Amino acid sequence: MTRTRKWRIGVAIGAALALIGVAAPANAAPHPSTWRPFGISQVSVFHGVPAMPVDVYVNGLRVLNDFQPGTFAGPYLLPSGTYRLAITAADARNDRNPVIGPVTVSFARNTSYTVAAHLTPTGTPTASVFTNDLSVSPSGTGRLVVRHTAAAPAVDVLAGGTPVITGLTNPNEAALVLPAGTVNASVALAGTTAPVIGPAAVPVTAKTDTIVYAWGSASAGTLTVAVQTLRQGRLFDVPWMLHR
């Protein structure tokens, strides 16, 4: 049995025990450093570093292999607690020489997160943890979230040519609750209206978070978007184990 497979099984066993409030034995899931009764977190991963396939390690074990730019993994359920994350080149044999990290992250119980590997405003690879608001929006509406994870200055988000989010900087986000439908959206440098991304038709679905990541590099001409959707109020109906 591979180390990655053992980690998956350990996380699943530990999470099940956490759900029923039983302390996990030391050999059931040794990697999360803390365990809490009923402590479950939902975690997704976004890769937003251009031209750099990577492997993702959790507590020294590889859990994502050859993870491609512009893609997502998850969401998955994990026991809440503290984890050590490291991101390496895709051909690395271990996590001793990461391109990002290692970083220590804490996931709270009954909370949804997206861990994003991306560029800083000046183009250095980094990682940020975003908390996903899965509270249910009013009937007939959805939540549109824009996250700035690109090597670019502050931006404005325009809908139909009109700014609706202004001065958004990396690594921050802004959210709008909108009627279900389609938004003709574009991204421009702050204070301007000429699109650097888009325009594009962005669907807003009722009872859904539509999360748009602006990623890439302005200087390299690789600015683009990736879209993640999460159902509101649905934390636990996703798989337990990460896929390699």
Side-chain angles (χ1 to χ4, degrees):
M1 182 181 295
T2 66
R3 296 178 68 207
T4 301
R5 180 62 177 165
K6 289 179 181 178
W7 183 85
R8 296 178 193 163
I9 294 173
V11 167
I13 294 172
L17 292 172
L19 272 176
I20 61 175
V22 178
N27 63 349
H31 305 296
S33 62
T34 60
W35 297 94
R36 303 172 188 173
F38 304 99
I40 303 300
S41 307
Q42 185 194 86
V43 180
S44 303
V45 185
F46 169 59
H47 182 4
V49 180
M52 190 175 75
V54 298
D55 292 347
V56 178
Y57 287 79
V58 176
N59 295 337
L61 301 179
R62 185 176 61 188
V63 296
L64 292 174
N65 182 47
D66 198 25
F67 192 30
Q68 295 296 312
T71 62
F72 295 88
Y76 302 103
L77 296 182
L78 291 176
S80 58
T82 301
Y83 295 82
R84 179 181 178 272
L85 305 182
I87 299 173
T88 71
D91 58 354
R93 299 183 63 180
N94 53 52
D95 67 346
R96 294 176 185 171
N97 296 293
V99 293
I100 299 174
V103 296
T104 299
V105 297
S106 295
F107 299 132
R109 66 181 68 184
N110 301 333
T111 305
S112 175
Y113 299 92
T114 299
V115 179
H118 64 98
L119 298 177
T120 66
T122 57
T124 302
T126 189
S128 298
V129 179
F130 294 95
T131 301
N132 301 315
D133 178 4
L134 297 188
S135 61
V136 178
S137 58
S139 178
T141 69
R143 186 176 292 109
L144 176 63
V145 182
V146 180
R147 292 174 174 167
H148 187 340
T149 59
V155 299
D156 294 345
V157 179
L158 296 85
T162 301
V164 292
I165 297 171
T166 59
L168 184 62
T169 57
N170 178 339
N172 294 298
E173 64 178 5
L176 301 169
V177 175
L178 301 172
T182 301
V183 176
N184 186 32
S186 59
V187 176
L189 298 182
T192 71
T193 57
V196 293
I197 301 175
V202 179
V204 176
T205 304
K207 296 184 179 180
T208 300
D209 280 15
T210 300
I211 307 172
V212 180
Y213 295 79
W215 68 283
S217 169
S219 62
T222 58
L223 290 178
T224 187
V225 296
V227 180
Q228 175 186 26
T229 57
L230 296 171
R231 289 290 290 172
Q232 297 171 357
R234 303 286 290 275
L235 187 67
F236 297 121
D237 59 346
V238 297
W240 280 105
M241 293 176 288
L242 291 175
H243 294 287
R244 182 172 176 177

